[in-house]
Amino acid sequence: MTVQNGLGSATEVTKFSTLLPVSPVLGVVMVVLALAATAVAAVGRLGHGPAVLRSAVRAAVQLALVSVVIATITRSIPLTAAFVVLMYLVAARVAGRRITTGRAAWWAAVPIGVATAPVIVLLLATGLVPPHGITVIPIAGILIGGALTATTLAGRRAVEELIHRRGEVEAALSIGLSDRDAAMEICRHHAATALIPALDQTRTVGLVTLPGAFVGMLLGGASPIAAGAVQLFVLIALLAVEAVAIVLTIELAARGRFS
């Protein structure tokens, strides 16, 4: 069973296997939910009311455009590679802006790239993911998205710890630790908690949550065995990618690259 076979079986969609048919009703429900989320955020004074609505609108526009683009580029290997690079650059930019400002933000590209590129190359080299856009783009998107989340969480926590506990860093320096080692002692523990969401998702899969890849394949007509195999692969790959991204992000923070 390859990832291509699993994803391929999911494309055999029938009218009976689609849980959310594309219809005016779906559009109305999404609008109602977006407005409800905005209202709750505003009433609860979360400070993100307008951002919720903007995010929903932006997601709708982006997904519409991406759907058209993917339908066009999946037949071309160069265009598929270019799209994956674009996803990587956007992820690096978003993670960097969440961690710091200015040119230092581009250091976030290092953990995301180093974490995801070897896994994608390995999957292509072993034939588990054939060089076709319809399989490469979803898998690359999942892995880059996981690295984005891990890098953002680890980077923010590391930088915040180093700022708020500057006195402890200076105390560690006073006893002879290097700048990197002193910073590492302060930020590593809290930044490492960025791996907890991926661990919890993997531990509870099938018991508490049914992740998107699994549900999507079932709705697409794939067998439960095929859906489970692909989902397990995705979860394990994400653990590897996010662990590498977090370690590299903490290292960069300890060396002052995000300062």
Side-chain angles (χ1 to χ4, degrees):
M1 170 63 66
T2 67
V3 175
Q4 181 190 30
N5 292 335
L7 293 177
S9 62
T11 62
E12 301 173 0
V13 181
T14 68
K15 63 180 180 180
F16 302 107
S17 65
T18 303
L19 179 62
L20 295 176
V22 179
S23 67
V25 175
L26 177 61
V28 171
V29 171
M30 288 192 294
V31 170
V32 170
L33 290 175
L35 292 176
T38 302
V40 170
V43 172
R45 298 181 181 180
L46 301 182
H48 298 290
V52 171
L53 186 58
R54 287 196 302 270
S55 297
V57 173
R58 179 173 177 175
V61 174
Q62 290 176 177
L63 284 174
L65 293 175
V66 167
S67 298
V68 174
V69 170
I70 289 179
T72 304
I73 70 175
T74 51
R75 296 182 179 87
S76 170
I77 293 179
L79 290 178
T80 295
F83 190 78
V84 171
V85 172
L86 176 62
M87 288 193 294
Y88 162 66
L89 293 176
V90 172
R93 179 59 176 166
V94 171
R97 291 177 63 182
R98 291 292 186 185
I99 298 171
T100 185
T101 59
R103 294 182 179 179
W106 282 108
W107 277 103
V110 174
I112 295 176
V114 173
T116 58
V119 177
I120 295 174
V121 170
L122 174 64
L123 295 175
L124 290 172
T126 56
L128 287 174
V129 174
H132 305 310
I134 197 63
T135 51
V136 172
I137 290 176
I139 295 300
I142 291 172
L143 298 179
I144 293 173
L148 161 62
T149 300
T151 299
T152 300
L153 292 176
R156 285 177 63 88
R157 290 172 183 173
V159 171
E160 288 172 358
E161 287 296 305
L162 292 175
I163 292 174
H164 296 153
R165 300 171 62 185
R166 181 60 191 173
E168 295 178 52
V169 175
E170 293 177 353
L173 291 173
S174 68
I175 62 174
L177 293 181
S178 65
D179 290 347
R180 180 262 182 192
D181 291 341
M184 189 69 75
E185 288 295 321
I186 301 304
C187 73
R188 176 162 43 196
H189 175 72
H190 288 277
T193 60
L195 190 60
I196 290 177
L199 290 173
D200 288 345
Q201 183 182 34
T202 305
R203 289 169 177 165
T204 61
V205 64
L207 299 176
V208 178
T209 61
L210 292 177
F214 182 83
V215 174
M217 290 185 64
L218 288 180
L219 296 179
S223 70
I225 299 299
V230 172
Q231 184 61 69
L232 179 61
F233 151 75
V234 169
L235 291 173
I236 293 176
L238 279 174
L239 281 177
V241 166
E242 294 190 29
V244 172
I246 291 169
V247 168
L248 291 176
T249 301
I250 295 173
E251 185 69 33
L252 290 172
R255 293 179 180 274
R257 297 297 184 266
F258 296 122
S259 300

